[in-house]
Amino acid sequence: MTWPRCLFLPLMLALAGMAYPATAQEPTLVPEVSQREINIQYGFTGAELLLFGAIVTPDAGPGQQTDIVVVLKGPAQPIVVREKKRIVGIWVNADSTEFRSAPGYFAVAASRPIADIVDDKTAAIYELGLDYLQLSPTGSIDPEEQRRFAAGLVDLNRRGGLYAESGNSVEISESVLYQARIQIPSSVPVGTYTAETFVIQNGKVLAAAVREVEIRKFGFEGFLAWMAEDLSFIYGLCAVLISLLFGWGAGAIFRKD
């Protein structure tokens, strides 16, 4: 019999308390996700991923506040960003920059705004927010130009629903249980995603844990994706044959005697 993962939280908490007694200095983090696999098939309109778990902070005093930041990202891929300029009334491609590794999806959820939780240096180290996303350009590039293209990429993906950041979206109950809901858009790329959870106190990251989520195409869409990737020659040949067949059929229908 299969039980919902949320029913395991009391057991997770008990085990954490047994493994780490109250005298421990480091907090204990027991994270989980509602789905380890998300299948994309015909009619897929998006999904909601629930990230939840338990935290045990033995040394949390009355004046200390524990924050949770969750980062869901993946898969990394190279991408070329082109800048358009209007020349003589026509929009044309101008400058461009290629980034070696840019996440196809990037979402951050936090218990408070990132600026209220950590400083810029800590946020940059752990990529806690869209302003701190680390993108690696190929070749040498002027820092100011790099920032401009990086900001353009982030803005483009934000408007497309692939990049998101939300403060005050992680709920913490009794300073022990937490949960965050992250929306997965229908245009999300397939691949392996990492859900990173950070426990932060007084601006310092005290604990972190990672869970993986697999997003894949299922059914006929999955068959086409597999064929295009693993049998690219046959896939291309079939595409050409289908195009020729439709062209011949259209010509036969509209052929005049």
Side-chain angles (χ1 to χ4, degrees), residues 16-17 19-28 56-60:
Y20 297 85
T23 57
Q25 296 299 314
E26 297 297 330
T28 304
V56 179
T57 52
D59 57 348

PDB file of all heavy atoms in Angstrom, residues 16-17 19-28 56-60:
ATOM      1  N   ALA A  16      15.212  11.992  12.850  1.00  0.00           N
ATOM      2  CA  ALA A  16      16.200  13.065  12.912  1.00  0.00           C
ATOM      3  C   ALA A  16      16.580  13.379  14.343  1.00  0.00           C
ATOM      4  O   ALA A  16      17.745  13.601  14.673  1.00  0.00           O
ATOM      5  CB  ALA A  16      15.657  14.318  12.223  1.00  0.00           C
ATOM      6  N   GLY A  17      15.595  13.370  15.232  1.00  0.00           N
ATOM      7  CA  GLY A  17      15.874  13.637  16.631  1.00  0.00           C
ATOM      8  C   GLY A  17      16.702  12.546  17.263  1.00  0.00           C
ATOM      9  O   GLY A  17      17.541  12.791  18.133  1.00  0.00           O
ATOM     10  N   ALA A  19      18.860  10.581  15.576  1.00  0.00           N
ATOM     11  CA  ALA A  19      20.196  10.588  14.990  1.00  0.00           C
ATOM     12  C   ALA A  19      21.015  11.780  15.457  1.00  0.00           C
ATOM     13  O   ALA A  19      22.242  11.703  15.564  1.00  0.00           O
ATOM     14  CB  ALA A  19      20.095  10.585  13.467  1.00  0.00           C
ATOM     15  N   TYR A  20      20.340  12.884  15.750  1.00  0.00           N
ATOM     16  CA  TYR A  20      21.040  14.095  16.159  1.00  0.00           C
ATOM     17  C   TYR A  20      20.442  14.584  17.475  1.00  0.00           C
ATOM     18  O   TYR A  20      19.385  15.208  17.490  1.00  0.00           O
ATOM     19  CB  TYR A  20      20.907  15.207  15.105  1.00  0.00           C
ATOM     20  CG  TYR A  20      21.545  14.846  13.797  1.00  0.00           C
ATOM     21  CD1 TYR A  20      20.864  14.101  12.835  1.00  0.00           C
ATOM     22  CD2 TYR A  20      22.848  15.242  13.527  1.00  0.00           C
ATOM     23  CE1 TYR A  20      21.473  13.752  11.645  1.00  0.00           C
ATOM     24  CE2 TYR A  20      23.455  14.914  12.333  1.00  0.00           C
ATOM     25  CZ  TYR A  20      22.760  14.178  11.395  1.00  0.00           C
ATOM     26  OH  TYR A  20      23.350  13.845  10.208  1.00  0.00           O
ATOM     27  N   PRO A  21      21.061  14.290  18.598  1.00  0.00           N
ATOM     28  CA  PRO A  21      20.531  14.699  19.897  1.00  0.00           C
ATOM     29  C   PRO A  21      20.526  16.208  20.053  1.00  0.00           C
ATOM     30  O   PRO A  21      21.129  16.939  19.279  1.00  0.00           O
ATOM     31  CB  PRO A  21      21.501  14.037  20.884  1.00  0.00           C
ATOM     32  CG  PRO A  21      22.754  13.810  20.113  1.00  0.00           C
ATOM     33  CD  PRO A  21      22.322  13.539  18.699  1.00  0.00           C
ATOM     34  N   ALA A  22      19.893  16.658  21.093  1.00  0.00           N
ATOM     35  CA  ALA A  22      19.700  18.091  21.312  1.00  0.00           C
ATOM     36  C   ALA A  22      21.002  18.832  21.526  1.00  0.00           C
ATOM     37  O   ALA A  22      21.068  20.050  21.434  1.00  0.00           O
ATOM     38  CB  ALA A  22      18.772  18.317  22.509  1.00  0.00           C
ATOM     39  N   THR A  23      22.085  18.103  21.829  1.00  0.00           N
ATOM     40  CA  THR A  23      23.365  18.758  22.056  1.00  0.00           C
ATOM     41  C   THR A  23      24.117  19.033  20.766  1.00  0.00           C
ATOM     42  O   THR A  23      25.170  19.645  20.773  1.00  0.00           O
ATOM     43  CB  THR A  23      24.246  17.876  22.958  1.00  0.00           C
ATOM     44  OG1 THR A  23      24.394  16.592  22.348  1.00  0.00           O
ATOM     45  CG2 THR A  23      23.608  17.717  24.330  1.00  0.00           C
ATOM     46  N   ALA A  24      23.590  18.546  19.628  1.00  0.00           N
ATOM     47  CA  ALA A  24      24.279  18.743  18.362  1.00  0.00           C
ATOM     48  C   ALA A  24      24.320  20.222  18.013  1.00  0.00           C
ATOM     49  O   ALA A  24      23.432  20.982  18.343  1.00  0.00           O
ATOM     50  CB  ALA A  24      23.585  17.955  17.251  1.00  0.00           C
ATOM     51  N   GLN A  25      25.380  20.642  17.345  1.00  0.00           N
ATOM     52  CA  GLN A  25      25.556  22.035  16.992  1.00  0.00           C
ATOM     53  C   GLN A  25      24.949  22.353  15.624  1.00  0.00           C
ATOM     54  O   GLN A  25      24.522  23.469  15.396  1.00  0.00           O
ATOM     55  CB  GLN A  25      27.047  22.378  16.996  1.00  0.00           C
ATOM     56  CG  GLN A  25      27.701  22.252  18.370  1.00  0.00           C
ATOM     57  CD  GLN A  25      27.069  23.186  19.385  1.00  0.00           C
ATOM     58  OE1 GLN A  25      26.842  24.348  19.106  1.00  0.00           O
ATOM     59  NE2 GLN A  25      26.782  22.678  20.576  1.00  0.00           N
ATOM     60  N   GLU A  26      24.970  21.407  14.710  1.00  0.00           N
ATOM     61  CA  GLU A  26      24.467  21.638  13.363  1.00  0.00           C
ATOM     62  C   GLU A  26      23.000  21.243  13.260  1.00  0.00           C
ATOM     63  O   GLU A  26      22.573  20.235  13.826  1.00  0.00           O
ATOM     64  CB  GLU A  26      25.286  20.844  12.346  1.00  0.00           C
ATOM     65  CG  GLU A  26      26.751  21.252  12.268  1.00  0.00           C
ATOM     66  CD  GLU A  26      26.936  22.688  11.799  1.00  0.00           C
ATOM     67  OE1 GLU A  26      26.084  23.163  11.029  1.00  0.00           O
ATOM     68  OE2 GLU A  26      27.911  23.319  12.215  1.00  0.00           O
ATOM     69  N   PRO A  27      22.195  22.036  12.536  1.00  0.00           N
ATOM     70  CA  PRO A  27      20.790  21.672  12.358  1.00  0.00           C
ATOM     71  C   PRO A  27      20.648  20.460  11.448  1.00  0.00           C
ATOM     72  O   PRO A  27      21.525  20.154  10.638  1.00  0.00           O
ATOM     73  CB  PRO A  27      20.182  22.917  11.710  1.00  0.00           C
ATOM     74  CG  PRO A  27      21.327  23.561  11.016  1.00  0.00           C
ATOM     75  CD  PRO A  27      22.539  23.289  11.857  1.00  0.00           C
ATOM     76  N   THR A  28      19.553  19.771  11.596  1.00  0.00           N
ATOM     77  CA  THR A  28      19.244  18.606  10.773  1.00  0.00           C
ATOM     78  C   THR A  28      18.158  18.976   9.769  1.00  0.00           C
ATOM     79  O   THR A  28      17.155  19.586  10.135  1.00  0.00           O
ATOM     80  CB  THR A  28      18.758  17.439  11.648  1.00  0.00           C
ATOM     81  OG1 THR A  28      19.737  17.164  12.639  1.00  0.00           O
ATOM     82  CG2 THR A  28      18.536  16.200  10.798  1.00  0.00           C
ATOM     83  N   VAL A  56      15.522  20.584  12.251  1.00  0.00           N
ATOM     84  CA  VAL A  56      15.751  20.561  13.695  1.00  0.00           C
ATOM     85  C   VAL A  56      16.958  21.444  13.978  1.00  0.00           C
ATOM     86  O   VAL A  56      18.055  21.156  13.517  1.00  0.00           O
ATOM     87  CB  VAL A  56      16.004  19.130  14.202  1.00  0.00           C
ATOM     88  CG1 VAL A  56      16.258  19.153  15.700  1.00  0.00           C
ATOM     89  CG2 VAL A  56      14.820  18.233  13.876  1.00  0.00           C
ATOM     90  N   THR A  57      16.733  22.534  14.690  1.00  0.00           N
ATOM     91  CA  THR A  57      17.819  23.457  15.032  1.00  0.00           C
ATOM     92  C   THR A  57      17.962  23.488  16.556  1.00  0.00           C
ATOM     93  O   THR A  57      17.309  24.279  17.232  1.00  0.00           O
ATOM     94  CB  THR A  57      17.520  24.859  14.484  1.00  0.00           C
ATOM     95  OG1 THR A  57      16.199  25.249  14.925  1.00  0.00           O
ATOM     96  CG2 THR A  57      17.551  24.875  12.974  1.00  0.00           C
ATOM     97  N   PRO A  58      18.797  22.627  17.122  1.00  0.00           N
ATOM     98  CA  PRO A  58      18.909  22.516  18.583  1.00  0.00           C
ATOM     99  C   PRO A  58      19.336  23.807  19.269  1.00  0.00           C
ATOM    100  O   PRO A  58      18.927  24.078  20.385  1.00  0.00           O
ATOM    101  CB  PRO A  58      19.973  21.426  18.769  1.00  0.00           C
ATOM    102  CG  PRO A  58      19.998  20.678  17.484  1.00  0.00           C
ATOM    103  CD  PRO A  58      19.677  21.680  16.435  1.00  0.00           C
ATOM    104  N   ASP A  59      20.175  24.620  18.572  1.00  0.00           N
ATOM    105  CA  ASP A  59      20.720  25.802  19.241  1.00  0.00           C
ATOM    106  C   ASP A  59      19.976  27.076  18.886  1.00  0.00           C
ATOM    107  O   ASP A  59      20.491  28.170  19.083  1.00  0.00           O
ATOM    108  CB  ASP A  59      22.200  25.967  18.890  1.00  0.00           C
ATOM    109  CG  ASP A  59      22.432  26.054  17.384  1.00  0.00           C
ATOM    110  OD1 ASP A  59      21.481  25.749  16.645  1.00  0.00           O
ATOM    111  OD2 ASP A  59      23.542  26.427  16.965  1.00  0.00           O
ATOM    112  N   ALA A  60      18.759  26.947  18.330  1.00  0.00           N
ATOM    113  CA  ALA A  60      18.000  28.139  17.955  1.00  0.00           C
ATOM    114  C   ALA A  60      17.494  28.851  19.201  1.00  0.00           C
ATOM    115  O   ALA A  60      16.676  28.320  19.941  1.00  0.00           O
ATOM    116  CB  ALA A  60      16.828  27.763  17.057  1.00  0.00           C
TER     117      ALA A  60
END
